[in-house]
Amino acid sequence: MGANAIGIALLTLLCLGQAHGDHHSPNGVGGAMKEKKKCDYSQGRWVYSSSYPLYKSSDCPFLEPEFDCQKNGRPDKLYLKLRWQPTSCNLPSFNGIDFLRRNRGKRIMFVGDSLSLNQWQSLTCMLHTAVPKAAYSLRTWQGLSTFKFPAYNVSLMLWRDALLVDLVKKNGTRVLKLDSINSVKPWKGMDILIFNSWHWWLHSGRQQPWDVIQYRRNTYKDMNRLIAYKLAMTTWGRWIDSNIDSSKTQVFFQGISPDHSSGSDWNEPKATCRGQTRAVQGTKYPGGSNPAQVVVEQVLSQMSKPVYLLDVTSLSQLRKDGHPSIYGYGGKRGNDCSHWCLPGVPDTWNQLLYASLIHKI
Ligand SMILES: *[C@@H]1O[C@H](CO)[C@@H](O)[C@H](O)[C@H]1NC(C)=O
Ligand SMILES: *[C@@H]1O[C@H](CO)[C@@H](O)[C@H](O)[C@H]1NC(C)=O
């Protein structure tokens, strides 16, 4: 079967899945969780709050320079003062000491690309600010970073793994295997796992980390990236279903973090995130839903193990002002419209994480 034929077959599947998935809650996935769900945090708007931001970047000595927009010279500050207000309820305020106490003895791991790094850094800053006198350690070794609070025996880890499925070198060719997760993954044995993957599926040219794509017995030079993503996510879902013990490990999916490189998404065709100082007003993003988010919802709804979707997409879509733009690497690396300044939007993702942990979803 050629790339096109498989493309068409799978596109049909995607569309069927979409119709079929409509009755699933966009937020909690899986029957038991749906009953318990208190509120849909994914819909709402951004409001001014004098008590924001939740921490100062200068209080967070381990913050990566690429996220420290104020230090890199960003002149505006309104983006620091926005609080997410869900439409039909309130998001619990973040209590770092409570977070640490609840998770005593636990190992929490973020798995994914640099958006995982973004959220992990946000969480370690939020927690360090809550217990500024508590000792911490931070070690990075190869793809694994571990941040520990010894007094609470809590480990917050980050495992860099942008594609989740196997990427192997065969005879000098980098093969992306959409149907296989066989390489050693340090995910097992964690208490809480928070996965994320998407942005790297869009890379092409020199940024593309593979040469060919393999699925079942077939090898493709390229294919529709959304389809490749769906196949890989399905493989990941099967891996979770057969390897995770839900009584020991809670699994989250971080959700799709939107970028703002194209102003036509918010009716400013010539704009990018650069120079944006205000969030989109109101509850609706003009750019509509994110196709990768639809894939994530479909895959999660077909899994047997519970996975909680943090559902950061809509709330982050409204934050065209939240990216580093030219204040990411001190202006040295162009216009970053996909990562987020810290403090900033990922702090809210961690509030969603906290809310779901205290509600024991
Ligand atoms: C810390 O937590 C680990 C599990 O992550 C556990 O094995 C260990 O016994 C704990 N240590 C202390 C001192 O409580
Ligand atoms: C490996 O690559 C070489 C050179 O392209 C080729 O001659 C050889 O047949 C390849 N081996 C396998 C096992 O594909």
Side-chain angles (χ1 to χ4, degrees):
M1 190 153 55
N4 261 348
I6 198 171
I8 289 161
L10 284 159
L11 210 49
T12 313
L13 261 177
L14 280 169
C15 298
L16 287 173
Q18 196 165 342
H20 176 76
D22 274 345
H23 61 274
H24 285 283
S25 128
N27 209 12
V29 179
M33 281 182 310
K34 242 188 289 175
E35 316 305 334
K36 274 197 211 161
K37 197 160 69 69
K38 291 255 187 332
C39 167
D40 182 1
Y41 295 128
S42 71
Q43 301 302 315
R45 63 203 172 88
W46 291 94
V47 298
Y48 182 86
S49 169
S50 55
S51 61
Y52 272 50
L54 298 175
Y55 54 91
K56 285 191 296 214
S57 60
S58 55
D59 292 337
C60 187
F62 41 83
L63 183 62
E64 302 261 347
E66 63 175 292
F67 304 135
D68 196 346
C69 300
Q70 288 295 310
K71 196 170 178 187
N72 296 332
R74 181 166 176 173
D76 59 306
K77 291 199 164 64
L78 182 61
Y79 77 96
L80 294 166
K81 310 290 292 172
L82 298 182
R83 178 177 67 77
W84 177 244
Q85 178 60 59
T87 301
S88 50
C89 53
N90 292 318
L91 199 50
S93 54
F94 186 83
N95 181 333
I97 295 176
D98 180 58
F99 184 100
L100 289 167
R101 286 192 181 139
R102 280 171 191 276
N103 292 302
R104 188 178 284 281
K106 288 197 180 158
R107 297 196 295 165
I108 301 170
M109 182 183 269
F110 290 87
V111 181
D113 56 27
S114 53
L115 275 317
S116 296
L117 167 68
N118 226 171
Q119 188 177 357
W120 172 76
Q121 282 243 298
S122 155
L123 184 57
T124 53
C125 287
M126 287 161 86
L127 293 172
H128 172 61
T129 311
V131 290
K133 300 218 168 86
Y136 66 85
S137 67
L138 174 56
R139 287 205 181 81
T140 295
W141 189 74
Q142 296 191 345
L144 180 68
S145 302
T146 304
F147 192 104
K148 274 190 190 163
F149 289 99
Y152 295 89
N153 196 14
V154 172
S155 299
L156 300 142
M157 302 189 238
L158 171 72
W159 173 251
R160 295 293 282 259
D161 192 339
L163 300 160
L164 303 180
V165 294
D166 289 337
L167 179 59
V168 298
K169 220 170 196 171
K170 246 195 209 156
N171 204 9
T173 301
R174 298 167 304 168
V175 183
L176 176 61
K177 299 171 92 171
L178 299 181
D179 55 356
S180 139
I181 299 183
N182 284 326
S183 49
V184 178
K185 302 287 190 187
W187 312 339
K188 280 193 183 179
M190 292 296 138
D191 299 285
I192 298 175
L193 283 165
I194 304 130
F195 288 94
N196 143 55
S197 178
W198 169 236
H199 285 232
W200 281 76
W201 292 92
L202 299 173
H203 286 335
S204 56
R206 277 176 49 214
Q207 282 197 311
Q208 179 183 302
W210 67 83
D211 300 309
V212 296
I213 298 175
Q214 208 174 77
Y215 183 67
R216 306 220 161 123
R217 293 271 163 84
N218 301 306
T219 303
Y220 307 91
K221 191 69 203 147
D222 207 346
M223 67 164 76
N224 177 304
R225 300 303 182 83
L226 195 60
I227 289 166
Y229 179 63
K230 175 151 197 194
L231 294 172
M233 283 296 296
T234 304
T235 303
W236 167 85
R238 289 206 193 98
W239 190 95
I240 295 292
D241 281 346
S242 45
N243 289 280
I244 291 294
D245 173 358
S246 299
S247 66
K248 155 107 184 97
T249 306
Q250 262 177 297
V251 182
F252 291 84
F253 199 83
Q254 185 180 325
I256 303 297
S257 171
D259 70 62
H260 292 91
S261 21
S262 168
S264 48
D265 287 349
W266 63 91
N267 303 328
E268 277 185 68
K270 293 205 176 103
T272 69
C273 70
R274 185 171 173 179
Q276 300 290 330
T277 56
R278 287 175 183 275
V280 173
Q281 298 298 300
T283 61
K284 265 222 146 28
Y285 186 58
S289 68
N290 183 306
Q293 168 83 352
V294 175
V295 168
V296 167
E297 285 169 13
Q298 287 167 3
V299 168
L300 297 191
S301 71
Q302 281 153 16
M303 290 173 64
S304 59
K305 295 278 165 72
V307 174
Y308 185 82
L309 177 60
L310 289 180
D311 215 344
V312 304
T313 309
S314 306
L315 67 92
S316 308
Q317 278 180 324
L318 300 173
R319 293 303 304 276
K320 59 186 169 59
D321 61 329
H323 300 282
S325 72
I326 57 164
Y327 306 106
Y329 300 89
K332 288 190 206 81
R333 279 207 237 165
N335 189 22
D336 182 353
C337 293
S338 50
H339 299 104
W340 303 92
C341 296
L342 292 180
V345 172
D347 305 337
T348 300
W349 305 350
N350 284 316
Q351 283 178 280
L352 295 183
L353 175 66
Y354 177 65
S356 62
L357 290 172
I358 64 178
H359 291 154
K360 297 218 184 336
I361 292 171

